[in-house]
Amino acid sequence: MLHKTAAKTALAATAALSALLIPAAGSASAATPASVSGSTVTARANSYDATCRSHSRTYVLKKYYRRVPVGPPSYYTLRCGTSTWGWKHIKARHGWNSTMDRKISAAIGTGSPNGRGGYSTYLNQCPRVEKFRTILGTPAGRGDLLTAYNVDRPAAVGAARC
């Protein structure tokens, strides 16, 4: 009888311990990070996935605003898109996370025109070195984000010295 009581106590203790070690389904530690091109996918990316599954390629996911000297700010849209443009393209080819979202916002918001129909951010050095580029204009509209990516090539040879 003593043996059965000890076994029941050990079993109950094991069950209680495992309940403490295994996170509940809704807890933050239960979420396992997914990876796209080596980047962690954020909750917003999962929400964009769900939204784009139930809407067309022209559905607007987000607006990025550009400050202009006079008048209201202009804006550019991020649409669901396809494998060649928009959010689906950026996610598949360049990875999507909160950092990518912030870089796009900074490039469009305060970046310089890049001559490719978009805006870029640059390192604060001389000569200027482009760090991040956006390109605008899609089959859905001129003010839509085609793509956005880090620029990882060195400055052009013969670039103007300061």
Side-chain angles (χ1 to χ4, degrees):
M1 181 102 162
L2 183 62
H3 177 63
K4 287 183 181 179
T5 305
K8 285 182 184 179
T9 304
L11 186 58
T14 303
L17 182 59
S18 66
L20 292 174
L21 295 176
I22 299 171
S27 73
S29 59
T32 56
S35 182
V36 173
S37 302
S39 300
T40 303
V41 175
T42 62
R44 177 160 288 178
N46 291 334
S47 133
Y48 283 176
D49 262 337
T51 301
C52 287
R53 273 196 300 273
S54 61
H55 290 87
S56 74
R57 65 191 178 117
T58 59
Y59 183 81
V60 175
L61 291 170
K62 184 169 183 170
K63 291 181 181 179
Y64 292 99
Y65 291 89
R66 179 154 180 88
R67 296 178 194 104
V68 292
V70 178
S74 57
Y75 67 88
Y76 299 93
T77 55
L78 174 63
R79 296 182 186 267
C80 286
T82 67
S83 62
T84 59
W85 63 271
W87 182 77
K88 288 180 181 178
H89 165 77
I90 294 169
K91 180 185 171 215
R93 294 283 309 275
H94 310 292
W96 183 267
N97 57 28
S98 58
T99 302
M100 177 64 86
D101 188 27
R102 280 193 305 272
K103 287 179 179 181
I104 292 170
S105 185
I108 289 176
T110 59
S112 301
N114 59 24
R116 304 266 330 256
Y119 299 98
S120 294
T121 54
Y122 296 84
L123 289 176
N124 189 19
Q125 68 183 41
C126 186
R128 287 176 47 159
V129 176
E130 185 177 20
K131 262 328 256 177
F132 189 79
R133 178 182 297 163
T134 63
I135 299 176
L136 302 169
T138 69
R142 284 184 33 205
D144 294 336
L145 188 61
L146 176 76
T147 190
Y149 52 92
N150 290 314
V151 178
D152 57 358
R153 59 190 163 112
V157 175
R161 288 281 184 221
C162 300

